[in-house]
Every structure is written in C-alpha cells, then in structure tokens.
Amino acid sequence: MVGALTGLSAARAETSAPPTSRHVRQNVSLLAGLLGEAIRYLDGEAAAALVDGARTAAAKGEARFDQLSAEDAVYLARAFACHAILGAVAEDVAGRRRHAEFEAGPNDRPLSLPAAVAALKGEGVSAEEITEALGRLNVVPVLTAHPSEMRRRSVLDREGEISRLLSLRRHHNPRDVDRRIQDELFREIAILWKTRLQRPERITVDDEVRNTLSIVRRSILPALVELYERWAVELEDDDLPVVLRLGSWLGGDRDGHPGVDADTLERALRRQAGLILDFYAAEVRRLSSDLAFCSGLISVSPEVAVMAERSGEHSVHRADEPYRRALCGMERRLSATRARLYGEKVAGPSYDGPQDFIADLETVRASLVANGGERLVGAALKTLLKIARACGFHLMSVDLRQNADVHERVIAELLQKASPGPDYRTLDEPERVRLLLQELAHERPLRSPFARYSDETERELKVFDAAAEALRRFGPQALGGYIVSKSESVSDILEPYVLFKQAGLVVGGTEPAASLRVAPLFETIDDLARGPQVIADWLALPAARPLLGEAAVQEVMIGYSDSNKDGGYVASRRAAWEAASSLAQTCADAGVRLQLFHGRGGSVGRGGGSASEAMLAQPPGSVRGRVRLTEQGEMIARKFGDAPTARRNLDSLVAAVALASQTRGGEGRAPAPQSAALAGLAQESFAAYRALVYDDPAFEDFFWSATPIAEIAGLKIGSRPASRSASRRIEHLRAIPWVFSWSQARFMLPGWYGFATGVRRSGLSTARLGDLAAESEFFAGLLSNMEQALAQSDMDVAARYAALFPDQEASRRIFDTIRREHDEACALALAARGGTRLLDNQPHLAESVELGAAVLDPLNGLQLELLARRRRGDESAAVTLGVQLTVNGIAAGLRNTG
C-alpha cells in the first residue's frame, strides 16, 4: 500500500505545476477593480470613495467604523462581502484552492481511479484482484442540507457566471482581456452588487432541495457521466461495475427538524426522479438521432424489432429505421413514467421501474453487438447504462434520519395503546430488547387503525408509510438507509425495525426481513467508545442476520461534529479512528461486512479537509471498498459547483477508497491512535478542552458574548434550527453554529484547542511528535488539518471579540488561556515538521489564507462595531442587516461556515 502511494506520488510529480500565485492576484485585482467601477457607475463617486477609503484604511490598520452611520455601515458591509465573494471566485478560477484544498493528494495533485489502479498494479496486485476489488467498490457522497449555506441561489448563479467569464481570459493576463468579455464581467458584477445577499425569510426544505438539485443538474450529473466515460477508456474496461453512486439527506433528515415529514420526502424523491428521467429522455433522444441504421442495410434482433413495432412511432420517414423507432418508444415510456410519478395523466405505457428501462437499453446494445459488433455500440449507450444502474429512477438514494429519543416515545405509545402495561420507557435495556424481539418474531402489527395517537406518533407513522410507498414507486434503491441519531444501545437499533413493521417495511417472523436497513449514529466521545460493543451485542442476536439481508452489510455512522463539540479536536479524531478500527474487527468476527458512513463537515473542527486524504488515513480493514460520507452545506457548491471541479473531487474520492481498501503488502503506516503516546495525548487534550468549555462557569456566557452566535441563530441560513432546544447550553447547540461562531470571530477554537496542553501533560517531545507524524497517516493528517485551522485564526482579532464580554476579569482569564494554548499549538505544529512559518510546506494554501485575511480584516472590524452596538441595545433593522452582511462576507472569505 505504501509503495502504491509512493508510485502514485512519483507519477503526479511529472505533471505540470498548478497556476502561479500571480494569476490569483491578477484575478483578484481585476474583479476588485470591476466592482469599484460598478459602484462608481451605479451609485456615484461619493459611494465609491466611501468604499475605497474604508478598504485603504483597513489595509493600513487605520479603519475607524465607530463614526459610521448605520446606513453607511450596511453599505460597507455589502461592499466588503462582495469583495470576499469575488476573491473566492478569483482563487477558484486560477485553480489555487481547488488543488490545495479539495481532494488533493501528495504534491497537490488530485488522485484518479486509473492512476490508483496503475499504482496497485505497480505494487504487484494482480489483474484478477483488481477486478475483484473494483467489483466491491461502493462509494457514495451524501449531500446534506445542514444550516451552513450562507449564499442565496441568485448569488451562486452570479458567481458561476463570473467564474465562467473569468475562465475565458486569454493567458490569465488581464491586459489581454477581450473588451466584450470584460464588459460582460462588469455587467455580472454590477448585477451581483445590486442583488440582495441576505435572505428575508428562513429557507425551506423545498428550497434546499431545489438549490441542491440545481447543482446536481449543472455539474454533478455531467461529472458522473464524464467519469464513467473516462474510466471505461482509461481502464480499457467497458464492463466496469458501478463504483460511484449519489446519496442525499434532503427531505429525509427529521432529526430536530420540524419541517421534514412524509410530504417533504415524497416531494424530494419526485423532483429527483424528474431530473434523472429528463436526463434519460435527452440521452435516449440523442441515441435515436445517432442510430439511424436502415433495416435494408443492417439486421436487428427480434427483440428490437418488437420494441420498434410497439413504439407508437409511425413516421414514414423512420419506417425502415428500427433502432430509432425503438428508442422513440423508450423516450415516450420515460415521459409517461415521469407523468405517473408526478401524479399526472399518463398517456401510453410507462416503465414499472428502472430495471425495465435498463433491460431495454441492454436489448439495444445486444442487437448492435450481434448485428455489427461491439464497436457499433458507442460510448454514449455504454455510459447511459452505467448511469441508469447507478441512479435508477431516484437519482440519489435518500436517507431517513431521526433521533433515538423519538423512536422510544413512539414505541412506548404504540405498546401502551396495543396492550396497556408498564411504560416501555421505564424498562431496563435487557427487557426492552426482549420485548422488541418479541414484536419482530410475529407478523401482527402494533398499530391499529382504530386507535388515536399523539401528533408525534402520527407524524412518524406517516413517514414510514411514505418510505414504503417510495420504495414501491421509485425503486428498491430510492432509500439509502435509516440513520438513528443518539444511538447508545441495541434497543436503539431494534426500535426502528419494529416501527418499519407497522408500514410493511419489515415482515415479522422467526427470520424477520427488512426492506430498509438501520444505521446507528455514534456521535459523542462516549458513544464512539461504546459503539463497537453495541454492534457486537446487536450482531449476536439471531434476528440481526436476517434483518441485514443476503448482503449482510451493517452500516454504522461515525459523527465527527458532535464528538468534537463534546471532547475537542484531538480526542474526537482519535475516538472516531478507534471506533472505525474496532467496528471493522467486530463485524469481521461476526461474519458481517461493515460499511462506514463518515459524518464530516466542511471545517477542520467538524472533520473537514480533503476527503481523499481522510480515506487514505482510515484504519486498515475499515474501508474494504464500501464507504459513504456527507458533503454538507456550502461545501456542496464549493466542491461540486462546476463540472470539472466535481469530476476531480469525485474521481479523487473513488481512487482513495480503492487504495485504502487494498491492504496487501502491509498495513500502511501504522502507529494508530490506540498507541500509548496518542492515547495519552487524546486523554489530556480531552481534559483540557472540557475544563475550558464545560467546567468553567463563565465560559458559556463568554461564548454568547464574544462570538456572533446569537446573531447566527437568528439568520435565515438553513431550514433547521440552530439549537436542539430553547436553552443557551452548549450541549444543546448544534455543531454547525458552534463551529461557525468561532470561525466568524477568528478563534477557530474547535480545530485546535486542547492539543498543546495534551502534548505537555502527556510528556510528548517535539521529536516524538515528528516521529508519530512520520509513522502514522492518522496523526500526520491531524497535524496538517490543525495547522490549517491555526493559520486561519487570528488572535489579535479574536481579542477584540473577547472584549465584548461584559465581565472583563473573566474575559481576560478565558482569553489568556485560549491565546496561550494557541501560541503553544502553533509552536508545536511547526516543531513537529521542522517548519518556520505556518503552512510554509503548503505555499498555495498559505497564500490562500493570506488572501483571505486581506478581505476578512475589514469585515471583522465592521462586524465588531455592529456587534458592540447590538450589545449596547441597538437592535435596529439597519444594524441587524449589517451584522448579517458581515457574517455573509466572513463566511465567503473563510470559504466555509461550519
């Protein structure tokens, strides 16, 4: 494995270098100049002077925002936010951040599946073993809609068009920009300037579905098509299995979300079906134009002849073109299928399911091969077959998610209504398991059509009914899995299966069978530690194997976000790694295949960073070709917003999973997090983090004063509430706004706090840190991601936020602790790799952080002034709007929210 990676690195080194920093700065200068020109053109010289003067003063550290009127503050906030947005576009077009941050492998070169296969061959892996390994691949990025996408769709559209136009510049040189292109750039930037950046109302689940599907339509689906075409050519394998599929939580994630129910699930699946069926229809239409074979010149199979006769296509011009007639019939059936799934009037026969459509495509292919040879088939038909197998009529498999506490309440009510007795919630774990298994051992449901249930129970039962209907209408792959948040016990896994039974998703009996699989989500540090034993106890039950089905795959979701909020960066990463390793062994011992589902966010504090590098650092034996991982919030647009970027990131991910699954030749660079040194580090860092965040009585109030958390909670960012309850307690706050708030105030605390104290108290030397990084992929990645978070932080700016806390004595004490930890962490990160400056070993990323700071500093200064006014009681609409705009701008400059 190590040799394979080394060989791949060498191969990458031969490719050309990424664009130079000069191109980024030229792009930034061009777009900033055009924004200034647009402000001057639309709003006049005085407005332009206000913006230019404030930016110049901020660059010199001389900006004074306390004298601004609220209206001028809002104006500057909008200007600064637009500068941040355009700066991000400038970087993306120059290619800097895409290579430095998104799915880059060694030497800042993206991985690819063909390169990974070549590396494995070079390591001595046989062709048969590689074919077998590719057949096991099941890589699924899962798109989620957590409250972290700051930008409106209108703003995203402008960004996309500005990016496209900027890409047309000849030789990346602004002096050579064509006047027409520059005029179009000016127009798009002017439109951006006059486009409302903030949302007036909270976004709905339907809005999130539409926004995400627009990205799927524009870039992710085209990238998927191109990847399968490229892979077939470069791997010289037309029969490459489906290795990459798409998943989604849109419309199915009910955990703490009052806006997600049975109706949102149905609407999400219907919209997804409409998108993919339209795609199929367009591709079939294109094939129809291509395959204009004349029956007098070439034969067709009897099956295609029958398809042609039944097609309903009677044009005299196509009477002797059987393939075209057959394909026209297929297009009509797709149109009828779409109408049926949308509940519209159906004209003519439709497809009962995706397998019927795939069968027709296979019939056409087989006829071409039999009557002309494989070379007549063409890449378009081969690729369409792969997309149809990967996407069916559902496009993305939708997961359902709910909190275990909800299941407990619903089960308790169903049992009480069916047979009054002891409250289920008062039973101990063994008795709960016994009772639940008893319910699964027979076919009689608990649910009664004559009983009246609480609103919560009725709502949940409707979701299960909708899930059963979804599988019938959209196909067996329409639903990906059922995620149980806050899983702590075997009963948390059994409860959903009993609820499935009420909708026919489980057939009870001595060997109960399920149409949907349950995946427990282990989130906190303690849950991650207990998770492997919970799974071992679950798999030991006789009912477990039949419920898992013939494939015998148990999915387990690992939470990076809540574990970080619970125990800090180092302890969270170690707990997730150890859980993955132990779960792999537990499932292997039980004769069951494990599929890990990594709940990663965009920021370092939530498991962010390169997904491909994260896969390569997974414990040996924990991947085995199967993996799912979340792509959250604004990172969907960042990583998949255009087809080339989406293709590169998806290819990198599949390649990394293929490499991580191959353990031949050793177990990789091993000292894993269970080593004594790393165990001590994690334990001490956990204690340091908890002492600050949960044990210091003043910290909660400090957090709510020294960050814009209160303002973020009120923003119209996502459809989900910022907290799981109405309290201010950190335990109840969702991980995304927790991380988002620290990022806005430039602390980046979730990405590094506790590391330095952990090193000091565990007695690790800097030399030992360097040795551990050299020996362990896990620890090397931990240090690298932490260094990025440290580089993005700014303690001078953070100090000004800390001063917002009215209790100045507590503020100084808490901030001094944070700053001391930060400075020690910086020194240790550098000493561990022998560096002299943060990110000096990643110059592209270092420049990205530097460019970001140039737009962030004035935004932070303005936000601080507006927050101070709000803390003094000024809650006017203008001040509130100004804060919202600065939050937008800082998020754009940092390139992620949570």
Side-chain angles (χ1 to χ4, degrees), residues 32 120 161 351 392 618 676 833:
L120 291 173
E161 187 59 17
Y351 285 110
Q618 288 302 303
R833 64 172 178 82

Side-chain angles (χ1 to χ4, degrees), residues 566-705:
D566 179 44
Y569 177 62
V570 178
S572 168
R573 291 303 164 271
R574 174 181 176 267
W577 199 101
E578 281 209 326
S581 181
S582 298
L583 286 165
Q585 188 60 55
T586 297
C587 288
D589 291 344
V592 168
R593 289 189 290 170
L594 171 68
Q595 177 168 285
L596 285 175
F597 187 176
H598 297 275
R600 306 169 73 244
S603 64
V604 170
R606 295 186 54 243
S610 165
S612 56
E613 293 299 321
M615 291 303 102
L616 292 171
Q618 288 302 303
S622 67
V623 180
R624 300 296 187 191
R626 307 184 66 89
V627 70
R628 297 206 300 155
L629 71 163
T630 54
E631 296 290 356
Q632 298 186 354
E634 89 286 355
M635 300 309 292
I636 295 172
R638 296 297 186 201
K639 296 175 71 171
F640 307 110
D642 62 78
T645 305
R647 186 193 68 244
R648 179 165 54 247
N649 289 328
L650 292 171
D651 200 3
S652 298
L653 177 60
V654 175
V657 172
L659 288 171
S661 302
Q662 179 54 253
T663 58
R664 174 179 178 145
E667 296 295 308
R669 293 195 289 153
Q674 73 264 25
S675 70
L678 293 180
L681 170 60
Q683 181 178 351
E684 294 295 346
S685 69
F686 174 82
Y689 175 87
R690 297 285 302 189
L692 175 72
V693 174
Y694 293 103
D695 297 341
D696 190 317
F699 186 82
E700 186 176 282
D701 289 337
F702 174 84
F703 168 64
W704 280 87
S705 293

Side-chain angles (χ1 to χ4, degrees), residues 487-504:
S487 289
E488 299 174 347
S489 62
V490 172
S491 62
D492 291 334
I493 300 174
L494 284 169
E495 286 166 356
Y497 281 120
V498 173
L499 294 173
F500 291 172
K501 185 183 161 190
Q502 314 313 308

Side-chain angles (χ1 to χ4, degrees), residues 210 282-283 286 298 421 771:
R210 280 191 293 267
E283 291 300 299
R286 185 157 67 97
I298 191 170
D771 291 342

Side-chain angles (χ1 to χ4, degrees), residues 6 35-36 57 89 95 237 322 508 517 521 584 645 767 830 833 838 869 871:
T6 303
L35 176 60
V89 172
D237 184 1
R517 309 287 178 261
L521 166 55
T645 305
L830 291 175
R833 64 172 178 82
L838 291 176
R869 295 184 189 186
R871 302 290 193 268

Side-chain angles (χ1 to χ4, degrees), residues 54-390:
R55 291 189 69 214
T56 300
K60 296 178 179 179
E62 300 171 355
R64 290 289 304 274
F65 299 118
D66 55 337
Q67 302 301 315
L68 286 173
S69 68
E71 291 72 21
D72 282 350
V74 169
Y75 195 90
L76 284 180
R78 191 156 58 87
F80 292 166
C82 285
H83 273 288
I85 291 168
L86 293 174
V89 172
E91 265 196 284
D92 281 347
V93 171
R96 172 71 66 247
R97 188 182 292 265
R98 290 172 180 167
H99 286 286
E101 182 175 80
F102 296 147
E103 314 322 325
N107 297 330
D108 290 341
R109 284 292 172 270
L111 297 163
S112 73
L113 182 58
V117 169
L120 291 173
K121 288 179 178 177
E123 187 73 2
V125 181
S126 70
E128 292 75 15
E129 289 174 305
I130 289 175
T131 299
E132 182 181 349
L134 292 176
R136 290 195 303 267
L137 280 184
N138 181 49
V139 182
V140 186
V142 179
L143 310 183
T144 74
H146 282 269
S148 61
E149 173 55 88
M150 286 294 303
R151 297 162 301 166
R152 298 176 59 222
R153 182 174 173 180
S154 300
V155 175
L156 289 172
D157 289 344
R158 296 282 69 72
E159 288 185 39
E161 187 59 17
I162 292 167
S163 176
R164 184 188 70 81
L165 291 168
L166 195 58
S167 298
L168 297 178
R169 297 166 62 231
R170 292 195 299 269
H171 310 300
H172 299 281
N173 193 328
R175 291 173 297 182
D176 298 328
V177 174
D178 179 83
R179 172 52 56 185
R180 179 182 59 83
I181 295 176
Q182 187 159 338
D183 286 345
E184 290 182 22
L185 272 172
F186 171 82
R187 178 178 177 275
E188 290 297 328
I189 290 173
I191 294 173
L192 173 67
W193 172 240
K194 291 301 182 180
T195 296
R196 175 169 37 81
L197 301 181
Q198 79 286 356
R199 294 189 178 99
E201 300 294 337
R202 184 172 293 280
I203 191 172
T204 67
V205 177
D206 288 337
D207 293 330
E208 290 172 333
V209 171
R210 280 191 293 267
N211 292 347
T212 302
L213 287 183
S214 71
I215 297 175
V216 174
R217 179 187 295 108
R218 181 177 68 241
S219 55
I220 296 179
L221 187 55
L224 200 63
V225 171
E226 187 175 352
L227 278 175
Y228 276 112
E229 286 181 353
R230 284 190 173 193
W231 288 339
V233 171
E234 295 180 29
L235 293 173
E236 299 178 349
D237 184 1
D238 287 335
D239 296 319
L240 179 74
V242 174
V243 299
L244 175 65
R245 295 175 173 85
L246 302 175
S248 170
W249 279 11
L250 299 160
D253 182 8
R254 314 193 303 289
D255 181 16
H257 198 319
V260 177
D261 55 20
D263 292 336
T264 61
L265 174 63
E266 193 276 335
R267 288 196 299 270
L269 282 166
R270 193 175 62 211
R271 288 193 176 102
Q272 291 180 191
L275 193 162
I276 195 63
L277 287 168
D278 288 346
F279 168 79
Y280 292 152
E283 291 300 299
V284 167
R285 194 178 308 122
R286 185 157 67 97
L287 285 171
S288 176
S289 299
D290 291 343
L291 300 180
F293 291 115
C294 175
S295 58
L297 301 175
I298 191 170
S299 299
V300 298
S301 68
E303 293 81 5
V304 168
V306 170
M307 288 173 62
E309 286 301 313
R310 296 177 177 173
S311 67
E313 175 55 52
H314 303 301
S315 170
V316 65
H317 302 292
R318 297 177 180 172
D320 61 348
E321 297 174 339
Y323 285 109
R324 297 188 76 176
R325 292 174 61 204
L327 288 161
C328 285
M330 291 176 64
E331 184 182 351
R332 288 193 174 99
R333 290 185 71 183
L334 288 167
S335 178
T337 303
R338 192 187 197 283
R340 175 174 59 79
L341 294 177
Y342 270 69
E344 300 169 354
K345 184 178 179 180
V346 178
S350 64
Y351 285 110
D352 290 336
Q355 289 308 313
D356 295 335
F357 173 57
I358 292 169
D360 277 356
L361 291 174
E362 286 286 11
T363 297
V364 172
R365 176 177 178 172
S367 179
L368 289 169
V369 172
N371 296 284
E374 184 69 38
R375 295 176 70 180
L376 290 185
V377 175
L381 176 54
K382 296 174 184 176
T383 303
L384 181 56
L385 270 164
K386 289 187 173 64
I387 298 299
R389 292 190 180 105

